[in-house]
Amino acid sequence: MKSIGSPVKVGKMDATSYSSIASEFGVRGYPTIKLLKGDLAYNYRGPRTKDDIIEFAHRVSGALIRPLPSQQMFEHVQKRHRVFFVYIGGESPLKEKYIDAASELIVYTYFFSASEEVVPEYVTLKEMPAVLVFKDETYFVYDEYEDGDLSSWINRERFQNYLTMDGFLLYELGDTGKLVAIAVIDEKNTSIEHTRLKSIIQEVARDYRDQFHRDFQFGHMDGNDYINTLLMDELKVPTVVVLNTSNQQYFLLDRQIKNAEDMVQFINNILDGTVEAQGGDSILQRLKRIVFDAKSTIVSIFKSSPLMGCFLFGLPLGVISIMCYGIYTADTDGGYIEERYEVSKSEIESQEPTEESKEQEPRSGDVLVPTVQGPKDVLEKKKD
C-alpha cells in the first residue's frame, strides 16, 4: 500500500488482549479485516489474497462515487473492471438512493457517475436519470417497477453472469436470492462429457441472459466435495445441479442434458414448479445436517489422525463404561443385602414357637437356663 502511494495505513491488533476494542467493532471471528474511514468501519468479505485485499482498500478509501468526465475515461474503466455501476443524470431522488446504496455496497464493487454524452453510443436509455450496470460485454438498466429496491438490485447484479464457483462464492451468492445453476465437473478430465456440460452452461448464460439474469446465476465447479457436503448426498461427476442458496433447496436433473435447449427447458420447469425441490431448511433437514456434520467430523478426525481419534472418543467411552459398571454392581450388592435381611427375618419368625416353649420348661436344680432374646432384640441387632 505504501509503495503505490495509498493513504491507507495497515496494522494489526490482538483482539484477545484488547477485547473491549474488538467488542466495540463487533469482531466475532478471526481473522477479521476492517477498513476504518472516518466514523465508518467497512468489513472485508472477499477472498483472502493480497491482490484482493489491496483492491478492497483502494476501492473503499477513495471517493464513494467517482466521476467519469470523458469517453476515454469511461473506456478505461470498462477495460479495468469486470462489473461496475454508473448513475447517469443530474440531482434527483434516484441519485440519493444511489448514494445510499453505494455507501453500503462499496465493499463489493465500484460506483461511478457520468453525463449522457460520456456514455457509449450503443447504450439506449428510455428515460433519465438512470442507473446501469456494465458487465459481460453488455449492460442492464435498473427498472424500479420490475427490480424493486435499488440496493437489492445492485446486490443481485454485482456478479458476472458466469463464474468459477467455490464455497466462498456460493456463500456470497446467498445474499442475491438467485438460483445458481452449476456444472459440477472435473477440470483435469478432458473427456467430451465434462467439457460439453461446461460449454452448455456457458452458452445458456450468454445467449439467454436477458431471459434469466434476474433469477439465475451460472457457473461451474471443479470437483464434487463441497457440493456433496452442501447437499449431504453423493453426486456423480459430471452433472448439473441448481441451488437455492437462500433456503438450501436444490434441484437435480430429471432428464439428460444434450444441448442448451434441454437446459433451458429444465430451468423453465424449475421456475414453473414442475421439478420438485429437495433439501431445504426444515426441522428434519436441520437434524439431518447435525448428524451429517457429526459423522463427517468423526470420519475426518480418524482419517487425519487415528491415534488422536481413539483418544478423543475412546476416553469418554471408557469413563462412561466404568460408571455404568459401577452403577450396575452397586444395585446388585443392595439387592443381596436386602435379600439377606429378609431371610434373617423369616428365620426369626420360625424360631418364635421354639423360644416360647423353652420359656415354659422348668428349671433343673440350681442351673439357670439362659434366657433367649426376643425377636425384637434380634431384629435390632440385625439392623445394626
Side-chain angles (χ1 to χ4, degrees):
M1 298 301 295
K2 183 178 181 180
S3 64
I4 63 176
S6 172
V8 176
K9 306 297 182 184
V10 181
K12 65 178 180 179
M13 185 191 75
D14 183 0
T16 59
S17 300
Y18 301 95
S19 57
S20 60
I21 298 179
S23 176
E24 178 184 352
F25 287 100
V27 176
R28 295 185 177 88
Y30 309 115
T32 292
I33 300 175
K34 290 178 177 286
L35 190 142
L36 308 181
K37 183 180 179 182
D39 296 332
L40 301 176
Y42 294 92
N43 288 326
Y44 176 67
R45 296 176 60 183
R48 301 301 175 91
T49 67
K50 182 185 72 173
D51 292 338
D52 287 304
I53 295 173
I54 290 174
E55 178 71 12
F56 162 79
H58 176 70
R59 181 172 62 249
V60 177
S61 63
L64 186 64
I65 298 176
R66 306 168 190 237
L68 297 175
S70 64
Q71 288 186 353
Q72 291 79 8
M73 182 63 70
F74 195 100
E75 293 173 358
H76 172 74
V77 169
Q78 272 189 309
K79 293 178 181 178
R80 183 176 179 183
H81 303 299
R82 297 176 180 177
V83 180
F84 65 96
F85 294 84
V86 180
Y87 173 83
I88 301 174
E91 299 296 327
S92 68
L94 181 61
K95 185 174 183 179
E96 295 178 2
K97 295 179 181 179
Y98 184 71
I99 295 173
D100 291 339
S103 62
E104 175 187 356
L105 301 173
I106 188 65
V107 294
Y108 299 119
T109 188
Y110 284 90
F111 294 88
F112 298 92
S113 64
S115 61
E116 191 174 4
E117 294 77 17
V118 172
V119 179
E121 295 180 358
Y122 64 82
V123 175
T124 302
L125 298 175
K126 296 180 180 179
E127 59 183 6
M128 296 281 291
V131 176
L132 292 76
V133 57
F134 289 84
K135 61 179 181 178
D136 303 319
E137 300 179 354
T138 186
Y139 69 96
F140 300 99
V141 182
Y142 166 68
D143 188 323
E144 184 176 2
Y145 297 100
E146 293 188 8
D147 299 318
D149 179 64
L150 178 60
S151 294
S152 300
W153 177 77
I154 292 174
N155 194 44
R156 291 195 302 271
E157 298 297 333
R158 62 187 176 92
F159 298 97
Q160 290 179 277
N161 203 29
Y162 186 90
L163 297 165
T164 301
M165 301 288 180
D166 57 18
F168 173 79
L169 193 53
L170 283 177
Y171 175 79
E172 288 294 303
L173 288 171
D175 296 335
T176 66
K178 289 185 178 183
L179 298 174
V180 186
I182 306 173
V184 184
I185 63 173
D186 183 357
E187 290 191 332
K188 296 179 181 179
N189 192 325
T190 58
S191 63
I192 297 176
E193 186 64 18
H194 287 257
T195 55
R196 185 178 64 84
L197 276 179
K198 180 179 177 181
S199 62
I200 287 175
I201 298 294
Q202 288 175 327
E203 183 180 348
V204 173
R206 181 184 65 249
D207 297 343
Y208 295 87
R209 57 189 170 196
D210 291 337
Q211 182 178 348
F212 295 134
H213 86 274
R214 281 189 172 91
D215 302 308
F216 272 85
Q217 184 73 46
F218 299 91
H220 75 273
M221 176 174 283
D222 182 20
N224 62 350
D225 292 340
Y226 184 83
I227 290 292
N228 289 343
T229 303
L230 195 65
L231 306 187
M232 295 182 288
D233 197 0
E234 186 74 24
L235 291 185
K236 294 182 179 179
V237 177
T239 188
V240 173
V241 60
V242 177
L243 302 176
N244 187 339
T245 53
S246 60
N247 62 6
Q248 299 181 8
Q249 288 183 341
Y250 62 94
F251 304 86
L252 297 177
L253 290 175
D254 59 349
R255 73 196 75 217
Q256 185 178 3
I257 301 296
K258 297 181 180 179
N259 48 43
E261 286 72 22
D262 289 340
M263 187 65 201
V264 170
Q265 183 63 41
F266 178 59
I267 291 175
N268 286 326
N269 290 343
I270 292 175
L271 293 176
D272 61 27
T274 306
V275 181
E276 183 180 358
Q278 302 182 46
D281 55 359
S282 63
I283 295 177
L284 181 61
Q285 286 295 321
R286 292 177 184 177
L287 293 175
K288 185 179 177 181
R289 169 63 63 183
I290 293 173
V291 174
F292 179 84
D293 290 342
K295 180 181 176 182
S296 301
T297 302
I298 294 172
V299 171
S300 63
I301 289 175
F302 275 97
K303 281 185 177 180
S304 60
S305 179
L307 292 176
M308 180 62 72
C310 293
F311 176 77
L312 289 177
F313 297 100
L315 181 62
L317 289 175
V319 173
I320 293 173
S321 300
I322 293 172
M323 292 175 61
C324 293
Y325 177 76
I327 293 172
Y328 173 76
T329 54
D331 288 342
T332 303
D333 293 342
Y336 174 73
I337 293 171
E338 183 178 355
E339 182 181 355
R340 190 173 63 185
Y341 171 74
E342 292 294 335
V343 171
S344 300
K345 184 177 180 181
S346 63
E347 289 177 352
I348 294 168
E349 290 175 352
S350 65
Q351 290 176 359
E352 287 180 358
T354 305
E355 292 166 352
E356 290 176 357
S357 61
K358 285 184 177 180
E359 288 179 355
Q360 294 175 359
E361 291 180 357
R363 299 178 179 176
S364 57
D366 294 331
V367 179
L368 295 175
V369 179
T371 304
V372 180
Q373 291 179 334
K376 185 175 180 182
D377 296 334
V378 174
L379 286 177
E380 288 178 353
K381 282 192 175 183
K382 291 289 184 180
K383 289 182 180 179
D384 293 338

